[in-house]
């Protein structure tokens, strides 16, 4: 496990948390919706492990990756718009039905909230999917700010959504930590100038999280909350 540089977390005031693969295991929702879409195109179903490798860079990228399994670039683009519409219809119908919370997510959010952290959820999932999902799973009200993949012209790994959170909360980059499951989260945080922690579960495009440039790996959101709290207390009491 990659060691965590705890000294970096002494002045944290806000936490930005990813959704898919970080708070919720949503792969089964993707799996059902994608294969229902593929059935409409008379394509064979994909297994869930393949779909997990496609998740993380937004819905448009997901559908292009799915179509690329069967079509060349020209044909995939030809089918893209109807495939996207079909997928969105099916995803909205199942959104959250097959998802599950990762361990200690709620406990972690509760502690962060109790410790006075300002919380934002930044996901590459479109807001029309993210907001209902957060409400359905009881996570919505923990967050002051929620941004989706369609909230700005650019999505993670671009830093734009994170920079907006800094402005919303009136905090400096070094007072923020982003928590996510993939290189998207780490790259966005590095570009924005804030701290970043990764969780070892989730998707990360089928790549090892150990290879991601971050400030450490935490087993759960609760572990992250304890790390931040311990360092804030230590900093506050150091003469």
């Amino acid at each position: 496990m990659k060691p965590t540089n705890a000294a970096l977390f002494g002045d944290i005031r806000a936490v930005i948390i990813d959704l898919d693969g970080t708070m919720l295991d949503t792969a089964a929702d993707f799996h059902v919706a994608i294969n229902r879409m593929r059935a409409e195109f008379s394509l064979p179903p994909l297994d869930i492990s393949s779909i997990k490798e496609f998740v993380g860079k937004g819905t448009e990228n997901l559908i292009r990756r799915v179509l690329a399994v069967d079509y060349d670039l020209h044909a995939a683009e030809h089918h893209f718009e109807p495939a996207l519409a079909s997928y969105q219809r099916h995803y909205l119908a199942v959104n959250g039905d097959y998802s599950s919370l990762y361990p200690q997510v709620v406990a972690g959010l509760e502690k962060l909230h109790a410790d006075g952290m300002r919380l934002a959820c930044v996901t590459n999932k479109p807001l029309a999917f993210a907001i209902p999902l957060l409400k359905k799973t009881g996570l919505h009200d923990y967050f002051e700010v929620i941004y989706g993949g369609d909230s700005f012209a650019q999505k993670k790994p671009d830093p734009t959504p994170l920079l907006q959170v800094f402005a919303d909360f009136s905090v400096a980059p070094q007072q923020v930590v982003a928590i996510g499951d993939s290189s998207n989260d780490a790259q966005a945080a590095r570009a924005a100038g804030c701290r970043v922690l990764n969780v070892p579960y989730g998707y990360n495009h089928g790549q090892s999280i150990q290879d991601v440039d971050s400030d450490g790996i935490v087993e759960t959101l609760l572990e992250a909350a304890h790390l931040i709290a311990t360092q804030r207390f230590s900093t506050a009491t150091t003469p």
Side-chain angles (χ1 to χ4, degrees):
M1 186 68 67
K2 179 188 294 185
T4 301
N5 188 349
L8 295 174
F9 301 93
D11 191 31
I12 299 300
R13 298 288 184 267
V15 182
I16 300 173
I17 307 176
D18 179 49
L19 181 53
D20 298 291
T22 300
M23 291 190 287
L24 290 170
D25 184 355
T26 52
D29 283 349
F30 291 119
H31 189 224
V32 171
I34 285 169
N35 281 334
R36 288 181 182 178
M37 176 272 282
R38 287 176 64 83
E40 291 185 5
F41 285 76
S42 300
L43 298 173
L46 295 177
D47 61 67
I48 195 167
S49 60
S50 296
I51 290 171
K52 284 182 178 180
E53 294 185 8
F54 300 159
V55 173
K57 293 185 181 294
T59 301
E60 294 83 0
N61 181 75
L62 171 64
I63 298 307
R64 286 191 167 95
R65 292 286 301 277
V66 167
L67 292 174
V69 172
D70 305 275
Y71 299 116
D72 63 25
L73 182 60
H74 177 75
E77 282 303 310
H78 174 75
H79 291 296
F80 174 73
E81 290 296 340
L84 178 63
S86 172
Y87 167 76
Q88 289 175 327
R89 183 175 71 254
H90 289 304
Y91 192 91
L92 283 171
V94 302
N95 191 8
D97 288 352
Y98 302 94
S99 295
S100 58
L101 282 161
Y102 286 110
Q104 299 187 329
V105 167
V106 171
L109 293 173
E110 289 281 0
K111 178 161 181 58
L112 289 167
H113 187 266
D115 290 343
M117 292 293 107
R118 302 191 71 177
L119 301 181
C121 176
V122 173
T123 172
N124 279 349
K125 185 187 291 293
L127 274 183
F129 297 162
I131 296 295
L133 180 59
L134 286 165
K135 289 181 177 179
K136 189 170 190 174
T137 54
L139 302 180
H140 180 274
D141 291 348
Y142 287 104
F143 297 99
E144 292 182 57
V145 170
I146 300 168
Y147 290 128
D150 53 355
S151 295
F152 306 96
Q154 302 293 329
K155 57 175 70 73
K156 297 181 296 184
D158 189 275
T160 298
L162 279 64
L163 295 173
Q164 184 59 52
V165 173
F166 303 166
D168 293 337
F169 289 168
S170 298
V171 291
Q174 63 269 24
Q175 295 177 310
V176 181
V177 58
I179 303 174
D181 69 307
S182 79
S183 58
N184 277 344
D185 305 291
Q187 290 169 17
R190 286 287 186 249
C194 69
R195 312 305 186 199
V196 57
L197 293 169
N198 284 130
V199 292
Y201 48 83
Y203 313 133
N204 194 35
H205 327 298
Q207 304 300 312
S208 171
I209 199 67
Q210 299 287 343
D211 298 329
V212 173
D213 175 24
S214 74
D215 296 310
I217 297 174
V218 288
E219 292 290 338
T220 65
L221 285 190
L222 184 58
E223 182 179 320
H226 282 300
L227 171 69
I228 293 166
T230 300
Q231 290 306 304
R232 287 188 73 198
F233 177 77
S234 175
T235 300
T237 56
T238 299

